[in-house]
Amino acid sequence: MSRGEPPPPTLPQAPARSGWLGFLPVSALEDNLRNINLETEEAQEVDEEDDELVFTFDDLPLVFSCPRHWQADPAVDMIMQTWRMRERMKTVSVALVICLNVGVDPPDVTKTQPCARQECWVDPLSLNPQRALETIGGNLQRQYERWQPRARYRQSLDPTVEEVRRLATGLRRSAREERVLFHYNGHGVPRPTANGEIWVFNRSYTQYIPLSIYDLQSWMGSPSIYVYDCNNAGIIVDSFKNFAEQHEREYVEQVRAGGPQAGAAELPPPPSLRNCIQLAACSKDQLLPMNPDLPADLFTACLTTPIKVALRWFVMKNDLGHLAPQIKLEHLEKIPGQFGD
């Protein structure tokens, strides 16, 4: 330090014993600690003298407190299963069945105005119907190709029952024992029926034609993955299980009856429900979301473009600039690069 400069400031020394600790004087704090120790010793003496006052974990409130959680059932055997499959299986074929009939809404669903319109991030009303349908089909295929680029893809746009049959049987024949994925977009047709039917079209697009899940199971075989993006999709899941059990019963009856007739081919095994995975957009009594800020195929978008959906959802729920200052939904379309980068 040179001569003439003022000395550096020094911090005041803390007292050896402060009269306050937080908001409590040290003397009061020591008295409280002494009282706690006395209460603890008294509690221990009481516990030793009277065992009935001892508290255990059984006395704590339980989240699972229904009668079935308290009663032990010795007849129930716990079977531990892992979600990982023992054998690796590839999805080698993908059927994209899209029933939109652009410009014509199904008669059994009253949509809000405005409502969700985008299909595969394309507004169908911004193009002519045929061009919009082809663009949506191409986008859906590219979205799946990000996850499985080596699979064989086949599109069926506004198909008939016969076209779906040829598509499903052809993919199963080429896939052999590998998995086939069946994606169904039913936004342009009525809801699934209680009899287990989804809807397609006739050749002139003047009528809705029902397609039974029972027949679809026969064409698709197993193993398979089904994606149902439509209203009341849970109806299909319930019907699928019932029809799978019916297939198995019919197969057992045919085997007991002596198998196939003379000269006929060998009986194919019934579709195994355990080897089929079903992904449904909603339950049997629910409709798809109609928020105009979300895509109409929200379920498909979450499966195939999760980052894009996550960004949109975050901006919708946090409109205070948490992602970046003054970011709006329309700005998300201007993010450079690809979401798969």
Side-chain angles (χ1 to χ4, degrees), residues 112-157:
T112 61
Q113 293 297 334
C115 68
R117 288 292 182 186
Q118 285 187 327
E119 302 280 352
C120 296
W121 305 105
V122 174
D123 185 357
L125 302 182
S126 64
L127 305 170
N128 68 73
Q130 184 60 33
R131 178 60 178 169
L133 185 62
E134 294 173 355
T135 303
I136 292 170
N139 284 3
L140 180 60
Q141 178 172 334
R142 284 189 289 272
Q143 290 174 192
Y144 268 109
E145 285 175 345
R146 295 194 188 106
W147 305 101
Q148 181 54 286
R150 298 182 180 179
R152 175 182 302 177
Y153 291 87
R154 294 291 184 271
Q155 299 179 24
S156 187
L157 309 179

Side-chain angles (χ1 to χ4, degrees), residues 153-164:
Y153 291 87
R154 294 291 184 271
Q155 299 179 24
S156 187
L157 309 179
D158 287 350
T160 63
V161 174
E162 180 61 23
E163 290 172 349
V164 175

Side-chain angles (χ1 to χ4, degrees), residues 250-259 267:
E250 293 175 353
Y251 181 82
V252 172
E253 292 175 358
Q254 289 181 342
V255 171
R256 291 177 178 175
L267 283 176

Side-chain angles (χ1 to χ4, degrees), residues 7-129:
T10 58
L11 295 176
Q13 296 292 330
R17 172 171 175 155
S18 176
W20 291 84
L21 183 59
F23 295 99
L24 191 66
V26 172
S27 58
L29 178 61
E30 292 176 349
D31 294 339
N32 287 344
L33 292 176
R34 190 179 301 109
N35 293 335
I36 293 174
N37 293 333
L38 292 176
E39 293 174 359
T40 305
E41 294 177 359
E42 293 177 358
Q44 292 177 354
E45 294 177 359
V46 171
D47 292 343
E48 294 175 357
E49 296 175 358
D50 190 0
D51 294 339
E52 295 181 357
L53 297 180
V54 177
F55 292 95
T56 64
F57 287 105
D58 296 334
D59 300 315
L60 298 177
L62 298 177
V63 176
F64 301 99
S65 57
C66 295
R68 67 177 184 274
H69 298 132
W70 290 86
Q71 299 173 358
D73 190 355
V76 176
D77 295 331
M78 299 297 293
I79 302 177
M80 301 299 295
Q81 296 181 350
T82 60
W83 64 271
R84 294 185 182 274
M85 301 184 64
R86 295 181 179 179
E87 300 178 359
R88 292 182 59 87
M89 188 176 299
K90 296 183 297 183
T91 301
V92 298
S93 300
V94 179
L96 304 177
V97 179
I98 303 176
C99 300
L100 288 180
N101 196 15
V102 177
V104 180
D105 291 333
D108 60 343
V109 176
T110 302
K111 295 185 177 181
T112 61
Q113 293 297 334
C115 68
R117 288 292 182 186
Q118 285 187 327
E119 302 280 352
C120 296
W121 305 105
V122 174
D123 185 357
L125 302 182
S126 64
L127 305 170
N128 68 73

